[in-house]
């Protein structure tokens, strides 16, 4: 059961492939995740378009009555290579801006199966969590064991002392949408003591800069 001190998740960003994948279970799981999100009154943030798993999850959320925000670079939208965005579409200039906007609109993150883009996004968000830039929960929906080898690699990185045990706990994994969302909701972050000293507050850094400038005048 989630702690009362844990904020309720209202918006989840889903990273996934614009391909349907080889196995039918991939599309089925994307559709099921979308339906579960809608049933739980959780809104979707995703990368836009209507193809593959991205289309399956977004359509299911939209038809289920929850809000859908698709964030897409203008080049991809104009190129018309990923289909029409379901729900509201927000066009941005770059891929980096796309990830930043999705991050700012989400309370948590889920990765369905996908390719290089999906992996880049989920690891980018995870590295920010490791650096204590945020403490939003992050999960892998491990459909048909898709992420088994990736999870084994992360365990190997811990064994070889390139990844700390606490950093390894950042990525939650589950085989069903229901279990994964429950675990995201009850997630309590553990931050490395060295990372907890980092201050990423722009406001605080600006205050310090003004103070340093005034002292030097």
């Amino acid at each position: 059961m989630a702690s009362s001190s844990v904020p309720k998740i209202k918006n989840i960003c889903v990273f996934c492939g614009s391909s349907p994948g080889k196995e039918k279970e991939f599309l089925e799981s994307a559709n099921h995740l979308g339906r579960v999100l809608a049933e739980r009154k959780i809104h979707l943030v995703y990368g836009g378009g209507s193809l593959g798993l991205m289309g399956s999850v977004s359509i299911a959320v939209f038809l289920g009555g929850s809000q859908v925000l698709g964030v897409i670079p203008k080049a991809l939208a104009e190129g018309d290579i990923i289909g029409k965005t379901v729900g509201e579409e927000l066009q941005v200039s770059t891929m980096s801006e796309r990830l930043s906007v999705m991050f700012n609109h989400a309370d948590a993150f889920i990765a369905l199966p996908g390719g290089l883009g999906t992996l880049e996004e989920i690891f980018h968000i995870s590295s920010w969590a490791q650096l204590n830039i945020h403490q939003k929960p992050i999960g892998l929906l491990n459909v048909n064991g898709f992420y088994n080898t990736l999870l084994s690699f992360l365990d190997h990185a811990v064994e070889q002392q390139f990844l700390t045990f606490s950093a390894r706990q950042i990525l939650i994994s589950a085989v069903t949408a229901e279990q994964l969302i429950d675990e995201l909701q009850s997630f309590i972050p553990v931050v490395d003591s060295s990372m907890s000293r980092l201050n990423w507050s722009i406001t605080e850094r600006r205050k310090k800069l003004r103070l340093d400038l005034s002292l030097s005048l």
Side-chain angles (χ1 to χ4, degrees):
M1 181 177 295
S3 168
S4 59
S5 63
V6 178
K8 179 177 173 58
I9 293 174
K10 298 179 180 179
N11 305 291
I12 289 183
C13 178
V14 174
F15 303 126
C16 56
S18 58
S19 166
K22 181 180 179 180
E23 309 294 337
K24 62 181 177 62
E25 286 83 3
F26 296 144
L27 273 178
E28 291 172 353
S29 293
N31 178 270
H32 181 69
L33 172 62
R35 287 188 281 112
V36 172
L37 291 175
E39 288 168 2
R40 299 194 181 197
K41 310 301 181 185
I42 297 173
H43 306 305
L44 172 70
V45 180
Y46 82 118
S50 57
L51 301 182
L53 305 193
M54 297 173 73
S56 182
V57 66
S58 60
I59 291 170
V61 172
F62 185 79
L63 292 179
S66 283
Q67 297 175 18
V68 176
L69 173 63
V71 184
I72 181 171
K74 187 176 181 181
L76 287 179
E78 292 178 345
D80 193 27
I81 62 173
I82 61 173
K84 182 176 176 58
T85 295
V86 177
E88 180 184 355
E89 180 177 278
L90 177 59
Q91 293 189 13
V92 295
S93 299
T94 66
M95 295 293 285
S96 295
E97 184 182 1
R98 179 200 212 182
L99 186 60
S100 179
V101 170
M102 290 194 291
F103 170 79
N104 288 330
H105 279 82
D107 303 312
F109 305 89
I110 289 176
L112 281 160
L116 291 178
T118 301
L119 293 174
E120 187 273 335
E121 289 165 332
I122 203 67
F123 276 116
H124 202 140
I125 294 297
S126 298
S127 69
W128 284 357
Q130 181 182 11
L131 291 168
N132 201 29
I133 294 173
H134 73 91
Q135 295 184 347
K136 300 177 182 181
I138 307 165
L140 301 175
L141 188 51
N142 194 15
V143 182
N144 271 18
F146 181 81
Y147 283 117
N148 283 352
T149 52
L150 177 62
L151 295 169
S152 295
F153 167 76
L154 293 176
D155 292 336
H156 178 66
V158 173
E159 180 183 336
Q160 296 300 313
Q161 299 180 12
F162 285 105
L163 187 67
T164 64
F165 177 78
S166 59
R168 174 64 182 86
Q169 307 313 304
I170 289 171
L171 271 176
I172 303 164
S173 66
V175 297
T176 69
E178 292 87 350
Q179 179 188 358
L180 185 56
I181 294 172
D182 286 344
E183 292 194 27
L184 293 176
Q185 184 63 72
S186 61
F187 175 72
I188 298 175
V190 178
V191 181
D192 285 341
S193 58
S194 59
M195 299 301 177
S196 65
R197 298 194 296 269
L198 298 177
N199 181 9
W200 296 97
S201 169
I202 294 176
T203 301
E204 290 302 317
R205 282 189 278 122
R206 284 176 177 169
K207 286 180 181 178
K208 183 177 184 302
L209 176 61
R210 287 197 296 268
L211 178 60
D212 290 343
L213 287 174
S214 65
L215 290 175
S216 64
L217 295 177

